[in-house]
Amino acid sequence: MYWIDKKTLIISDLHLGKATHFTNSGIGVPKEANTNNYWRMTGVVDKYEVDRVIFLGDLFHSVYNKEWEKFKDYIANYESIEWILILGNHDILHPEHYKEAKLVVTNSLVESGFYFTHEPEHKEELYNICGHLHPAVKMKGNGLSTLRLPCFYFGTERAVLPAFGEFTGAMTIKPNKGDEIFVIAEKEVIRVS
């Protein structure tokens, strides 16, 4: 999600290192899972005028592995951008790793009436923007055909962003009346309700 007025890119649940973690545990995962995350992130960082990036948690999936060094090298190429990490349940690296990467690390962030967190939270009079749930909706087609697509979910109290990472999975949600849903279909974002 891109916040135009603040020149801020908001990314949730990248889960870098997850594919490497699985591979190191003897579970084969295509290497493209890591590479595609960087291609997509580069695409949006280069497309917009970005002064900062806010990661809504689960930036790195597990314990330290070689993928962290790749990420440090990646963000070093964008020295003019401020990188902020709101800690998620999978962000378990030693604080020194975040410091070396020059990440600003916090548990939450309040700005301009928004409350940024990893997991959904309630804070009086603030609109919560979070991740964690990896939302998706089931779309029905002709006959019995269905398709489940990741989505941006905007409810009355909060917005839940889809997982940005390629190797993450998704949770099917059931929107309430009046909620706004934007599905991600290939390279398009389409409003469906």
Side-chain angles (χ1 to χ4, degrees):
M1 183 165 74
Y2 182 63
W3 189 357
I4 296 169
D5 293 346
K6 301 287 185 175
K7 296 181 182 175
T8 298
L9 184 62
I10 305 163
I11 295 175
S12 183
D13 298 274
L14 197 51
H15 285 273
L16 291 173
K18 184 175 183 179
T20 303
H21 176 73
F22 274 60
T23 301
N24 290 346
S25 300
I27 302 168
V29 176
K31 291 180 182 178
E32 294 79 24
N34 286 327
T35 305
N36 290 345
N37 288 330
Y38 290 107
W39 280 108
R40 288 205 332 253
M41 194 160 48
T42 299
V44 292
V45 168
D46 290 349
K47 180 177 182 177
Y48 300 102
E49 191 175 343
V50 177
D51 287 344
R52 69 180 174 166
V53 175
I54 299 173
F55 294 108
L56 295 179
D58 290 355
L59 167 62
F60 200 75
H61 178 77
S62 62
V63 296
Y64 174 87
N65 62 46
K66 65 182 179 181
E67 194 64 31
W68 183 255
E69 296 304 317
K70 218 187 261 187
F71 174 71
K72 276 182 20 184
D73 291 343
Y74 177 84
I75 65 173
N77 290 318
Y78 294 95
E79 290 180 349
S80 64
I81 295 176
E82 178 184 25
W83 301 86
I84 300 170
L85 170 61
I86 295 170
L87 290 171
N89 54 301
H90 284 282
D91 295 311
I92 60 171
L93 293 178
H94 190 279
E96 195 60 33
H97 289 298
Y98 302 125
K99 186 177 178 181
E100 287 172 4
K102 298 179 181 168
L103 284 168
V104 175
V105 179
T106 184
N107 289 313
S108 63
L109 178 68
V110 174
E111 186 174 334
S112 301
F114 297 109
Y115 181 46
F116 297 93
T117 60
H118 174 60
E119 295 186 30
E121 291 185 26
H122 177 76
K123 194 166 190 87
E124 207 63 43
E125 298 182 24
L126 294 174
Y127 190 76
N128 182 217
I129 298 177
C130 62
H132 184 62
L133 301 178
H134 306 194
V137 289
K138 188 184 280 188
M139 309 291 292
K140 294 181 182 180
N142 294 330
L144 298 175
S145 64
T146 61
L147 181 63
R148 191 170 73 135
L149 297 171
C151 68
F152 291 86
Y153 168 67
F154 294 89
T156 56
E157 292 185 6
R158 78 182 38 89
V160 184
L161 275 57
F164 192 89
E166 179 149 317
F167 187 51
T168 59
M171 180 184 88
T172 303
I173 59 167
K174 294 189 180 189
N176 296 314
K177 185 177 181 179
D179 292 345
E180 295 182 69
I181 304 296
F182 296 82
V183 297
I184 302 166
E186 303 264 334
K187 293 184 179 187
E188 291 186 62
V189 177
I190 304 164
R191 183 178 181 168
V192 295
S193 72

